[in-house]
Amino acid sequence: MIMSNTSIKTAPEVWDSDLIRASFPALSRVIKGKKLVYLDCAATSLRPNPVIDAGCDFCRMHDGNPHRGMHALSYEATEVYESSRDDVSRWLDAPSIKSVVITRNATSAINLVAGGLRNKVKKGDNIVVTMMEHHANLIPWQQLCKLTGAELRHIPLTKTGELDISDLSRYIDKNTKVVAVAHVSNVLGTINPIKKISDAAYDAGAYMLVDSAQAVGHMPVSFKKLGVDFLVFSAHKCYGPSGLGFLIAKEEALYALDPTEYGGDMIEYVSFEDSTWADIPHRFEAGTANAQAVASFPETIRFIENIGTDKIRAHEKMIVTYALEKLGVIDGIKILGPLDPAVRGGLVAFTDSLVPPHDMSTVLDMEGVAVRAGHHCAQPLHRLLGIPSSTRASFGVYSTKNDVDELVKAIEIARGFFGRRSQYGT
Ligand SMILES: Cc1ncc(COP(=O)(O)O)c(C=O)c1O
């Protein structure tokens, strides 16, 4: 129904950087007199024209409330909403269309699972996370443990910034209820061995959740191959709209959850005294959804599929390899996480003994280079590494080696600008 002027119609035979970059209007921005170099994909990726157009087209012509009305616009909104769910189910190899819950983002999807298990977890149980989690995959489990008296355990890291899974039985045992692990660390870049961990969770009879916020759209992802019970991600980190995320789950795992939000559209029958719930997945989708965002997600999937996730992963690996080489030779720069690109996603966080991260990011912005500085919502990990914050460059389909060269040039300018030895990161 929604037509867009898709600029990438067919998969290019080779990596056609110019064609891909032409799809992203924001790349034409000039920031402080410099052509934008966007290296903040891990925070939010830019959006290509087909995704922007699909969202606008929905607003312009089909702006009804999904599931709520008996008129053409509401029917159309419902059709778009449910077909988007269907597309996600097919794309990520979900068990069924009922297995796909539409959420606000990855954070709300994890809260939905953690809160939904509040009546299943008790004192004496334990929940296992890792020491590299984003706050989104840490705090909901902390809160669940506080509420229920369960113990929170953390899988530690090796010296190279990978998960130490040499003896998972030290953490995952018969009392483990949930194992929740990042697919790709948003700070270290580490690609974690999810299948190995989910096998251990399965043997222990625990639920396994993978936080694929930094993986979906950046590498091939199959729910079934990962062997997990729950997978979450956000649309805005894979060229999709903001305000939209997904929870994919085994049907039986979804049935085990109690809803955490109540109201319109999630009910079956309501009296003044009590209520019963709609079937999955709708029982987890209380209130009016961000239909415009949902409507543009099929174009997001099409955009990624037209390029191909294998090719995207190969491209990001090539860029990250180049970035590791270029940054690695700068005296005083310390790269966080594994130096082997085979186990690293498309991001590099680092400290510089001369320039603190926030200053670095500010000077880089003056040079038109967008990166992120701070703890990246991973305070405990930074504390473990003995640093308050880091600078992170993160890549996507539009990234080029030239972007990395511009980053390095801007870093040199920042170092010259500061021209003094700070104690930071040394
Ligand atoms: C690994 C990881 N998990 C979860 C999130 C939370 O994503 P959102 O803010 O879209 O919910 C992020 C965001 O940076 C992330 O990097």
Side-chain angles (χ1 to χ4, degrees), residues 19-144:
L19 183 65
I20 291 168
R21 286 175 63 85
S23 302
F24 291 88
L27 289 176
S28 66
R29 291 281 311 271
V30 173
I31 307 286
K32 294 166 186 139
K34 308 271 166 53
K35 214 164 176 304
L36 172 66
V37 174
Y38 190 79
L39 299 177
D40 201 15
C41 202
T44 285
S45 54
L46 301 177
R47 276 170 272 288
N49 279 319
V51 175
I52 298 166
D53 293 346
C56 291
D57 185 62
F58 179 84
C59 289
R60 207 173 284 124
M61 303 304 287
H62 312 281
D63 216 356
N65 195 322
H67 303 138
R68 302 294 208 288
M70 303 188 84
H71 56 78
L73 264 57
S74 180
Y75 283 135
E76 287 171 11
T78 305
E79 187 195 315
V80 166
Y81 190 83
E82 293 302 329
S83 76
S84 190
R85 191 196 308 277
D86 200 13
D87 286 358
V88 171
S89 166
R90 180 190 47 76
W91 185 42
L92 295 181
D93 209 9
S96 71
I97 186 168
K98 282 169 72 175
S99 305
V100 179
V101 183
I102 297 173
T103 67
R104 288 194 314 279
N105 44 43
T107 304
S108 65
I110 298 170
N111 275 282
L112 191 162
V113 177
L117 288 170
R118 65 194 177 279
N119 297 317
K120 298 278 184 314
V121 176
K122 56 182 187 326
K123 200 170 165 53
D125 292 340
N126 65 70
I127 289 172
V128 178
V129 294
T130 80
M131 292 192 181
M132 62 168 76
E133 297 310 315
H134 186 284
H135 296 164
N137 197 31
L138 174 62
I139 304 171
W141 305 113
Q142 282 177 350
Q143 293 305 307
L144 181 61

Side-chain angles (χ1 to χ4, degrees), residues 209-350:
L209 178 144
V210 63
D211 171 3
S212 294
Q214 298 292 350
V216 169
H218 298 274
M219 57 184 63
V221 174
S222 156
F223 178 89
K224 285 183 191 149
K225 283 190 189 149
L226 288 169
V228 298
D229 297 287
F230 303 102
L231 179 152
V232 306
F233 71 101
S234 285
H236 71 99
K237 292 186 195 290
C238 59
Y239 318 109
S242 283
L244 177 65
F246 293 91
L247 164 65
I248 300 178
K250 288 181 182 155
E251 285 190 18
E252 61 271 27
L254 272 189
Y255 280 117
L257 303 180
D258 288 312
T260 51
E261 291 191 350
Y262 306 95
D265 215 34
M266 53 79 67
I267 55 87
E268 177 195 44
Y269 178 79
V270 180
S271 71
F272 281 121
E273 289 76 28
D274 207 357
S275 307
T276 56
W277 314 139
D279 197 5
I280 61 167
H282 296 103
R283 69 174 62 168
F284 302 111
E285 295 176 4
T288 297
N290 184 351
Q292 175 194 358
V294 182
S296 66
F297 202 65
E299 284 297 338
T300 312
I301 298 174
R302 209 160 297 140
F303 180 83
I304 294 169
E305 283 195 326
N306 279 348
I307 301 173
T309 44
D310 279 323
K311 275 187 177 168
I312 293 174
R313 166 65 188 142
H315 178 74
E316 287 191 18
K317 192 172 163 194
M318 183 272 289
I319 299 286
V320 97
T321 304
Y322 188 65
L324 290 171
E325 274 167 29
K326 289 285 172 177
L327 293 171
V329 295
I330 303 176
D331 188 30
I333 284 203
K334 196 171 159 230
I335 291 166
L336 310 183
L339 297 178
D340 177 3
V343 291
R344 185 186 265 277
L347 65 96
V348 182
F350 58 91

Side-chain angles (χ1 to χ4, degrees), residues 153 167-173:
R153 297 177 176 177
D167 186 6
L168 279 176
S169 65
R170 285 168 59 197
Y171 310 97
I172 303 173
D173 60 26

